[in-house]
Coordinates of all heavy atoms in Angstrom, one line a residue:
Chain A
I377 N 42.7 33.7 0.7 CA 41.9 33.9 -0.6 C 42.8 34.4 -1.7 O 42.7 34.0 -2.8 CB 40.7 34.8 -0.3 CG1 39.7 34.2 0.6 CG2 40.1 35.3 -1.6 CD1 38.6 35.1 1.1
S378 N 43.8 35.2 -1.3 CA 44.7 35.8 -2.3 C 45.5 34.7 -3.0 O 46.0 34.9 -4.1 CB 45.6 36.9 -1.7 OG 46.6 36.3 -1.0
R379 N 45.7 33.6 -2.4 CA 46.5 32.5 -2.9 C 45.6 31.5 -3.7 O 46.2 30.6 -4.4 CB 47.2 31.7 -1.8 CG 48.3 32.5 -1.1 CD 49.0 31.7 0.0 NE 49.7 32.6 0.9 CZ 49.4 32.7 2.2 NH1 48.4 32.0 2.7 NH2 50.0 33.6 2.9
A380 N 44.3 31.6 -3.6 CA 43.4 30.6 -4.2 C 43.2 31.0 -5.7 O 43.4 32.1 -6.1 CB 42.1 30.6 -3.5
D381 N 42.8 30.0 -6.5 CA 42.4 30.3 -7.9 C 40.9 30.7 -7.9 O 40.1 29.9 -7.5 CB 42.6 29.0 -8.8 CG 44.1 28.8 -8.9 OD1 44.9 29.7 -9.0 OD2 44.5 27.6 -9.0
F382 N 40.6 31.8 -8.5 CA 39.2 32.2 -8.6 C 39.1 33.3 -9.6 O 40.0 34.0 -9.9 CB 38.6 32.6 -7.3 CG 39.1 33.8 -6.7 CD1 38.5 35.1 -6.9 CD2 40.2 33.8 -5.9 CE1 39.0 36.2 -6.4 CE2 40.8 35.0 -5.3 CZ 40.1 36.2 -5.6
D383 N 37.9 33.5 -10.2 CA 37.6 34.5 -11.1 C 36.8 35.7 -10.4 O 37.0 36.8 -10.7 CB 36.8 33.9 -12.3 CG 36.5 35.0 -13.3 OD1 37.4 35.7 -13.7 OD2 35.3 35.1 -13.8
V384 N 35.9 35.3 -9.6 CA 35.0 36.2 -8.9 C 35.0 35.9 -7.4 O 34.9 34.8 -7.0 CB 33.5 36.2 -9.4 CG1 32.6 37.2 -8.7 CG2 33.5 36.4 -10.9
L385 N 35.0 37.0 -6.6 CA 34.9 36.8 -5.1 C 33.7 37.7 -4.7 O 33.7 38.9 -4.9 CB 36.2 37.3 -4.4 CG 36.0 37.6 -2.9 CD1 35.8 36.2 -2.1 CD2 37.3 38.3 -2.3
F386 N 32.7 37.0 -4.1 CA 31.6 37.8 -3.5 C 31.9 37.9 -2.0 O 32.2 37.0 -1.3 CB 30.3 37.0 -3.6 CG 29.6 37.0 -4.9 CD1 29.9 36.1 -5.9 CD2 28.8 38.1 -5.3 CE1 29.3 36.1 -7.1 CE2 28.2 38.1 -6.5 CZ 28.4 37.1 -7.5
M387 N 32.0 39.2 -1.5 CA 32.2 39.5 -0.1 C 30.8 39.8 0.5 O 30.3 40.9 0.5 CB 33.2 40.6 0.0 CG 34.6 40.2 -0.4 SD 35.8 41.5 -0.1 CE 35.6 41.8 1.6
D388 N 30.3 38.7 1.2 CA 28.9 38.8 1.7 C 29.0 38.7 3.3 O 28.3 38.0 3.9 CB 28.0 37.7 1.1 CG 26.6 37.9 1.5 OD1 26.2 39.0 2.0 OD2 25.8 37.0 1.2
C389 N 30.0 39.4 3.8 CA 30.3 39.2 5.3 C 29.7 40.3 6.1 O 29.9 40.3 7.4 CB 31.8 39.3 5.4 SG 32.6 40.7 4.6
L390 N 29.0 41.3 5.5 CA 28.6 42.5 6.3 C 27.8 42.2 7.5 O 27.9 42.8 8.6 CB 27.9 43.5 5.3 CG 28.0 45.0 5.7 CD1 29.4 45.4 5.9 CD2 27.3 45.8 4.7
P391 N 26.8 41.2 7.5 CA 26.0 40.9 8.7 C 26.8 40.5 9.9 O 26.3 40.5 11.0 CB 25.1 39.8 8.2 CG 25.0 40.0 6.7 CD 26.3 40.4 6.3
N392 N 28.1 40.1 9.7 CA 28.9 39.7 10.8 C 29.8 40.9 11.3 O 30.6 40.8 12.2 CB 29.8 38.6 10.5 CG 29.2 37.2 10.7 OD1 29.7 36.2 10.3 ND2 28.0 37.2 11.4
C393 N 29.8 42.0 10.5 CA 30.7 43.1 10.8 C 29.9 44.2 11.5 O 28.7 44.3 11.5 CB 31.3 43.7 9.5 SG 32.3 42.5 8.7
T394 N 30.7 45.1 12.2 CA 30.1 46.4 12.6 C 30.7 47.4 11.7 O 31.6 47.2 10.9 CB 30.7 46.7 14.0 OG1 32.1 46.7 14.0 CG2 30.2 45.7 15.0
A395 N 30.1 48.7 11.7 CA 30.7 49.7 10.9 C 32.2 49.9 11.3 O 33.0 50.2 10.4 CB 29.9 51.0 11.2
Q396 N 32.5 49.8 12.5 CA 33.9 49.9 13.0 C 34.8 48.9 12.3 O 35.9 49.2 11.9 CB 34.0 49.9 14.5 CG 35.3 50.3 15.1 CD 35.6 51.8 14.7 OE1 34.8 52.7 14.8 NE2 36.9 52.0 14.2
I397 N 34.3 47.6 12.3 CA 35.1 46.5 11.6 C 35.3 46.9 10.2 O 36.4 46.7 9.6 CB 34.4 45.2 11.8 CG1 34.5 44.7 13.3 CG2 35.1 44.1 10.9 CD1 33.8 43.3 13.5
V398 N 34.3 47.4 9.5 CA 34.5 47.8 8.1 C 35.5 48.9 8.0 O 36.4 48.8 7.2 CB 33.1 48.3 7.5 CG1 33.3 48.8 6.1 CG2 32.1 47.2 7.5
R399 N 35.4 49.9 8.9 CA 36.4 51.0 8.8 C 37.8 50.5 9.1 O 38.8 50.8 8.4 CB 36.1 52.1 9.8 CG 34.9 53.0 9.4 CD 34.8 54.2 10.4 NE 34.2 53.8 11.7 CZ 32.9 53.8 12.0 NH1 32.0 54.1 11.0 NH2 32.5 53.4 13.2
D400 N 38.0 49.5 10.0 CA 39.3 49.1 10.5 C 39.9 48.1 9.5 O 41.1 48.0 9.3 CB 39.2 48.4 11.8 CG 38.9 49.4 13.0 OD1 39.0 50.6 12.7 OD2 38.5 48.9 14.1
S401 N 39.1 47.2 8.9 CA 39.6 46.0 8.3 C 39.3 45.8 6.8 O 40.0 45.0 6.1 CB 39.2 44.7 9.0 OG 39.4 44.9 10.4
A402 N 38.3 46.4 6.3 CA 37.8 46.1 4.9 C 38.8 46.4 3.8 O 39.1 45.6 2.9 CB 36.4 46.7 4.7
E403 N 39.4 47.6 3.9 CA 40.2 48.1 2.8 C 41.5 47.2 2.7 O 41.9 46.8 1.7 CB 40.6 49.6 3.0 CG 41.4 50.1 1.8 CD 41.4 51.6 1.8 OE1 40.8 52.3 2.6 OE2 42.2 52.2 0.9
L404 N 42.1 46.9 3.9 CA 43.3 46.1 3.9 C 43.0 44.7 3.4 O 43.7 44.1 2.7 CB 43.9 46.0 5.3 CG 45.1 45.2 5.5 CD1 46.3 45.7 4.6 CD2 45.6 45.2 7.0
F405 N 41.8 44.1 3.8 CA 41.3 42.8 3.4 C 41.3 42.8 1.9 O 41.9 41.9 1.2 CB 40.0 42.5 4.0 CG 39.4 41.1 3.8 CD1 39.5 40.2 4.8 CD2 38.8 40.7 2.6 CE1 39.0 38.9 4.7 CE2 38.4 39.4 2.5 CZ 38.5 38.5 3.5
I406 N 40.7 43.8 1.3 CA 40.5 43.8 -0.2 C 41.8 44.0 -0.9 O 42.2 43.3 -1.9 CB 39.5 44.9 -0.6 CG1 38.1 44.5 -0.1 CG2 39.5 45.1 -2.1 CD1 37.0 45.6 -0.2
K407 N 42.7 44.9 -0.4 CA 43.9 45.2 -1.0 C 44.9 44.0 -0.9 O 45.7 43.8 -1.9 CB 44.6 46.5 -0.4 CG 43.8 47.7 -0.8 CD 44.6 49.0 -0.6 CE 44.0 50.1 -1.4 NZ 44.4 51.5 -0.9
T408 N 44.8 43.3 0.2 CA 45.6 42.1 0.3 C 45.3 41.1 -0.8 O 46.2 40.4 -1.4 CB 45.4 41.4 1.7 OG1 45.7 42.4 2.7 CG2 46.2 40.1 1.9
I409 N 44.1 40.9 -1.1 CA 43.7 40.1 -2.2 C 44.0 40.7 -3.6 O 44.6 40.0 -4.5 CB 42.1 39.8 -2.2 CG1 41.8 39.0 -0.9 CG2 41.7 39.0 -3.4 CD1 40.4 38.9 -0.5
R410 N 43.8 42.0 -3.7 CA 44.0 42.6 -5.0 C 45.5 42.6 -5.4 O 45.8 42.4 -6.6 CB 43.5 44.1 -4.9 CG 43.7 44.9 -6.2 CD 43.1 44.3 -7.4 NE 41.6 44.5 -7.5 CZ 40.8 43.7 -8.0 NH1 41.2 42.5 -8.4 NH2 39.5 43.9 -8.1
E411 N 46.4 42.6 -4.5 CA 47.8 42.6 -4.8 C 48.2 41.3 -5.6 O 49.0 41.3 -6.5 CB 48.6 42.6 -3.5 CG 49.2 44.0 -3.2 CD 49.9 44.0 -1.8 OE1 50.5 43.0 -1.4 OE2 49.7 45.0 -1.1
Q412 N 47.6 40.2 -5.1 CA 47.9 38.9 -5.8 C 47.0 38.6 -7.0 O 47.3 37.8 -7.8 CB 47.7 37.8 -4.8 CG 48.6 37.9 -3.5 CD 50.1 37.9 -3.9 OE1 50.5 37.1 -4.7 NE2 50.9 38.8 -3.2
K413 N 45.9 39.3 -7.0 CA 44.9 39.0 -8.0 C 44.4 40.3 -8.7 O 43.3 40.8 -8.5 CB 43.6 38.3 -7.4 CG 43.9 36.9 -6.8 CD 44.0 35.9 -7.9 CE 44.2 34.5 -7.4 NZ 45.5 34.2 -6.8
P414 N 45.3 40.8 -9.6 CA 45.0 42.2 -10.1 C 43.8 42.3 -10.9 O 43.2 43.4 -11.0 CB 46.3 42.5 -11.0 CG 47.0 41.2 -11.1 CD 46.6 40.3 -10.0
T415 N 43.3 41.2 -11.5 CA 42.1 41.3 -12.4 C 40.9 40.5 -11.9 O 39.9 40.5 -12.6 CB 42.4 40.9 -13.9 OG1 42.8 39.5 -13.8 CG2 43.5 41.7 -14.5
A416 N 41.0 39.9 -10.8 CA 39.8 39.1 -10.3 C 38.7 40.1 -9.9 O 39.0 41.3 -9.5 CB 40.2 38.4 -9.0
K417 N 37.5 39.7 -10.1 CA 36.3 40.6 -9.8 C 36.0 40.4 -8.4 O 35.8 39.3 -7.9 CB 35.1 40.2 -10.7 CG 35.4 40.4 -12.2 CD 34.7 39.4 -13.1 CE 35.2 39.5 -14.5 NZ 36.3 38.5 -14.8
I418 N 35.9 41.5 -7.7 CA 35.6 41.5 -6.2 C 34.3 42.3 -6.1 O 34.1 43.4 -6.5 CB 36.7 42.2 -5.4 CG1 38.0 41.4 -5.6 CG2 36.3 42.2 -3.9 CD1 39.2 41.9 -4.8
V419 N 33.3 41.6 -5.5 CA 31.9 42.1 -5.4 C 31.6 42.3 -4.0 O 31.5 41.4 -3.2 CB 30.9 41.1 -6.0 CG1 29.6 41.7 -6.1 CG2 31.4 40.6 -7.4
L420 N 31.3 43.6 -3.6 CA 30.8 43.9 -2.2 C 29.3 43.7 -2.1 O 28.6 44.5 -2.9 CB 31.3 45.3 -1.8 CG 32.7 45.4 -1.3 CD1 33.8 45.0 -2.3 CD2 33.0 46.8 -0.8
V421 N 28.8 42.8 -1.3 CA 27.4 42.6 -1.2 C 26.9 43.4 0.1 O 27.5 43.2 1.2 CB 27.1 41.1 -1.0 CG1 25.6 40.9 -1.0 CG2 27.7 40.3 -2.2
E422 N 25.9 44.2 -0.1 CA 25.3 44.9 1.0 C 24.5 44.0 2.0 O 24.1 42.9 1.6 CB 24.4 46.0 0.4 CG 24.2 47.3 1.2 CD 23.4 48.3 0.5 OE1 22.2 48.1 0.3 OE2 24.0 49.3 0.1
N423 N 24.3 44.5 3.2 CA 23.3 43.8 4.1 C 22.0 43.6 3.4 O 21.5 44.6 2.8 CB 23.0 44.6 5.3 CG 24.1 44.4 6.4 OD1 24.4 43.3 6.8 ND2 24.6 45.5 7.0
P424 N 21.4 42.4 3.4 CA 20.0 42.3 2.9 C 19.0 43.1 3.8 O 19.4 43.4 4.9 CB 19.7 40.8 3.0 CG 20.6 40.3 4.1 CD 21.8 41.2 4.1
K425 N 17.8 43.3 3.3 CA 16.8 43.9 4.1 C 16.2 42.8 5.0 O 15.1 42.3 4.6 CB 15.8 44.6 3.3 CG 16.2 46.0 2.8 CD 15.2 46.6 1.8 CE 13.8 46.9 2.4 NZ 12.9 47.4 1.4
F426 N 16.8 42.6 6.2 CA 16.2 41.6 7.1 C 14.8 42.0 7.4 O 14.6 43.2 7.8 CB 17.1 41.4 8.3 CG 18.5 40.9 8.1 CD1 19.6 41.7 8.3 CD2 18.6 39.6 7.6 CE1 20.9 41.1 8.0 CE2 19.9 39.1 7.4 CZ 21.0 39.8 7.6
P427 N 13.9 41.0 7.4 CA 12.4 41.4 7.6 C 12.1 42.2 8.8 O 11.2 43.1 8.8 CB 11.7 40.0 7.6 CG 12.7 39.1 6.9 CD 14.0 39.6 7.1
Y428 N 12.8 41.9 9.9 CA 12.3 42.5 11.2 C 12.8 44.0 11.3 O 12.5 44.7 12.2 CB 12.8 41.7 12.4 CG 14.3 41.8 12.6 CD1 14.8 42.5 13.7 CD2 15.2 41.1 11.8 CE1 16.2 42.6 13.9 CE2 16.5 41.2 12.0 CZ 17.0 41.9 13.0 OH 18.4 42.0 13.2
L429 N 13.7 44.4 10.4 CA 14.2 45.8 10.5 C 13.2 46.9 10.3 O 13.4 48.0 10.8 CB 15.4 46.0 9.5 CG 16.6 45.1 9.7 CD1 17.7 45.4 8.7 CD2 17.1 45.2 11.1
V430 N 12.1 46.6 9.7 CA 11.0 47.6 9.6 C 10.5 47.9 11.0 O 9.9 48.9 11.2 CB 9.9 47.2 8.6 CG1 10.4 47.1 7.2 CG2 9.2 45.9 9.0
L431 N 10.6 47.0 11.9 CA 10.1 47.1 13.3 C 11.2 47.6 14.2 O 11.0 48.4 15.1 CB 9.5 45.8 13.7 CG 8.3 45.4 12.9 CD1 8.0 43.9 13.2 CD2 7.1 46.2 13.2
D432 N 12.4 46.9 14.1 CA 13.5 47.1 15.1 C 14.4 48.2 14.6 O 15.3 48.0 13.8 CB 14.3 45.8 15.3 CG 15.4 45.9 16.3 OD1 15.8 47.0 16.6 OD2 15.9 44.9 16.7
K433 N 14.1 49.5 15.0 CA 14.7 50.6 14.5 C 16.2 50.8 14.9 O 17.0 51.3 14.2 CB 13.9 51.9 14.9 CG 12.6 52.0 14.3 CD 12.6 52.0 12.8 CE 11.2 52.0 12.1 NZ 11.3 51.7 10.7
K434 N 16.5 50.2 16.1 CA 17.8 50.3 16.6 C 18.8 49.5 15.7 O 19.8 50.0 15.3 CB 17.9 49.8 18.1 CG 19.2 49.9 18.8 CD 19.0 49.6 20.3 CE 20.4 49.4 21.0 NZ 21.0 48.1 20.7
T435 N 18.4 48.2 15.5 CA 19.3 47.4 14.6 C 19.3 48.0 13.2 O 20.3 47.9 12.5 CB 18.7 45.9 14.6 OG1 18.6 45.5 16.0 CG2 19.7 45.0 14.0
F436 N 18.1 48.5 12.8 CA 18.1 49.1 11.4 C 19.2 50.1 11.2 O 19.9 50.1 10.3 CB 16.7 49.7 11.1 CG 16.7 50.5 9.8 CD1 16.5 49.8 8.6 CD2 16.9 51.8 9.8 CE1 16.5 50.5 7.4 CE2 16.9 52.5 8.6 CZ 16.7 51.9 7.4
S437 N 19.3 51.0 12.2 CA 20.3 52.1 12.0 C 21.7 51.6 12.1 O 22.6 52.1 11.5 CB 20.0 53.3 13.0 OG 20.1 52.8 14.3
E438 N 21.9 50.6 12.9 CA 23.3 50.0 13.0 C 23.7 49.4 11.6 O 24.8 49.6 11.1 CB 23.3 48.8 14.0 CG 23.4 49.3 15.5 CD 23.2 48.2 16.5 OE1 23.1 47.0 16.1 OE2 23.1 48.6 17.7
L439 N 22.7 48.6 11.0 CA 23.0 48.0 9.7 C 23.1 49.1 8.6 O 23.9 48.9 7.7 CB 22.0 46.9 9.4 CG 22.3 45.5 9.9 CD1 22.4 45.5 11.4 CD2 21.4 44.5 9.3
D440 N 22.3 50.1 8.8 CA 22.4 51.2 7.8 C 23.7 51.9 7.8 O 24.3 52.2 6.7 CB 21.2 52.2 8.1 CG 21.0 53.2 7.0 OD1 20.9 52.7 5.8 OD2 21.0 54.4 7.2
E441 N 24.3 52.0 9.0 CA 25.6 52.6 9.1 C 26.7 51.7 8.4 O 27.6 52.2 7.7 CB 26.0 52.9 10.6 CG 27.2 53.7 10.7 CD 27.8 53.7 12.2 OE1 27.1 53.2 13.1 OE2 28.9 54.2 12.3
E442 N 26.6 50.4 8.6 CA 27.5 49.5 8.0 C 27.4 49.6 6.5 O 28.4 49.7 5.8 CB 27.1 48.0 8.4 CG 27.4 47.7 9.8 CD 26.8 46.3 10.1 OE1 26.5 45.5 9.2 OE2 26.5 46.1 11.3
N443 N 26.1 49.7 6.0 CA 25.9 49.8 4.5 C 26.6 51.0 4.0 O 27.2 51.0 2.9 CB 24.4 49.8 4.2 CG 23.8 48.5 4.3 OD1 24.4 47.4 4.4 ND2 22.4 48.5 4.4
R444 N 26.5 52.1 4.7 CA 27.0 53.4 4.2 C 28.6 53.3 4.2 O 29.2 53.8 3.3 CB 26.5 54.6 5.1 CG 25.1 55.0 4.6 CD 24.6 56.2 5.4 NE 24.0 55.8 6.7 CZ 24.5 56.2 7.8 NH1 25.5 57.0 7.9 NH2 23.9 55.8 9.0
E445 N 29.2 52.7 5.2 CA 30.6 52.5 5.2 C 31.1 51.6 4.1 O 32.1 51.9 3.4 CB 31.1 51.8 6.5 CG 31.0 52.7 7.8 CD 32.0 53.9 7.8 OE1 33.0 53.8 7.0 OE2 31.8 54.8 8.5
W446 N 30.3 50.6 3.8 CA 30.6 49.6 2.8 C 30.6 50.3 1.4 O 31.5 50.1 0.6 CB 29.6 48.5 2.9 CG 29.8 47.1 2.4 CD1 29.0 46.4 1.6 CD2 30.9 46.3 2.6 NE1 29.5 45.2 1.3 CE2 30.7 45.0 2.0 CE3 32.1 46.4 3.3 CZ2 31.6 44.0 2.0 CZ3 33.0 45.3 3.4 CH2 32.7 44.1 2.7
K447 N 29.5 51.1 1.2 CA 29.3 51.8 -0.1 C 30.4 52.8 -0.3 O 30.9 53.0 -1.4 CB 27.9 52.4 -0.1 CG 27.5 53.1 -1.4 CD 27.1 52.1 -2.4 CE 26.7 52.8 -3.7 NZ 25.2 53.2 -3.7
A448 N 30.7 53.5 0.8 CA 31.8 54.6 0.7 C 33.1 53.9 0.3 O 33.9 54.5 -0.5 CB 31.9 55.3 2.0
L449 N 33.4 52.8 0.9 CA 34.7 52.1 0.6 C 34.7 51.7 -0.9 O 35.7 51.9 -1.6 CB 34.8 50.9 1.5 CG 36.1 50.0 1.2 CD1 37.4 50.7 1.3 CD2 36.0 48.7 2.0
Y450 N 33.5 51.1 -1.3 CA 33.4 50.7 -2.8 C 33.7 51.9 -3.7 O 34.5 51.8 -4.6 CB 32.0 50.2 -3.0 CG 31.6 50.2 -4.4 CD1 32.2 49.3 -5.4 CD2 30.6 51.1 -4.9 CE1 31.8 49.3 -6.7 CE2 30.2 51.1 -6.2 CZ 30.8 50.2 -7.1 OH 30.5 50.3 -8.4
L451 N 33.0 53.1 -3.4 CA 33.2 54.3 -4.2 C 34.6 54.8 -4.2 O 35.2 55.2 -5.3 CB 32.2 55.4 -3.8 CG 30.7 55.1 -4.0 CD1 29.9 56.1 -3.3 CD2 30.4 54.9 -5.5
K452 N 35.3 54.6 -3.1 CA 36.7 55.1 -3.0 C 37.6 54.1 -3.8 O 38.4 54.6 -4.6 CB 37.1 55.0 -1.5 CG 38.6 55.4 -1.3 CD 38.9 55.2 0.2 CE 40.4 55.3 0.4 NZ 40.8 54.9 1.8
L453 N 37.4 52.8 -3.7 CA 38.3 51.9 -4.4 C 38.0 51.9 -5.9 O 39.0 51.8 -6.7 CB 38.0 50.4 -3.9 CG 38.4 50.2 -2.4 CD1 37.9 48.8 -2.0 CD2 39.9 50.3 -2.2
K454 N 36.8 52.1 -6.2 CA 36.4 52.1 -7.7 C 37.2 53.1 -8.5 O 37.4 52.9 -9.7 CB 34.9 52.4 -7.7 CG 34.2 51.9 -9.0 CD 32.7 52.0 -8.9 CE 32.2 53.4 -9.3 NZ 31.7 53.6 -10.6

Side-chain angles (χ1 to χ4, degrees):
Chain A
I377 292 174
S378 78
R379 293 181 198 116
D381 290 326
F382 67 93
D383 182 48
V384 180
L385 167 67
F386 283 93
M387 290 184 58
D388 191 10
C389 53
L390 208 52
N392 276 169
C393 298
T394 57
Q396 194 58 48
I397 290 180
V398 174
R399 283 189 288 270
D400 291 346
S401 309
E403 188 166 353
L404 181 60
F405 189 99
I406 293 167
K407 287 195 164 166
T408 300
I409 296 167
R410 179 56 81 216
E411 260 174 37
Q412 301 300 318
K413 295 283 183 290
T415 60
K417 296 149 193 92
I418 299 179
V419 188
L420 277 62
V421 183
E422 208 174 67
N423 276 310
K425 277 174 66 182
F426 294 115
Y428 72 106
L429 295 184
V430 294
L431 298 164
D432 182 342
K433 295 299 176 191
K434 182 167 170 284
T435 310
F436 172 82
S437 60
E438 286 170 5
L439 270 65
D440 192 49
E441 190 193 351
E442 291 167 25
N443 286 342
R444 279 182 279 116
E445 289 292 341
W446 202 229
K447 183 77 179 273
L449 175 63
Y450 160 72
L451 292 171
K452 177 183 167 190
L453 294 173
K454 200 169 85 100

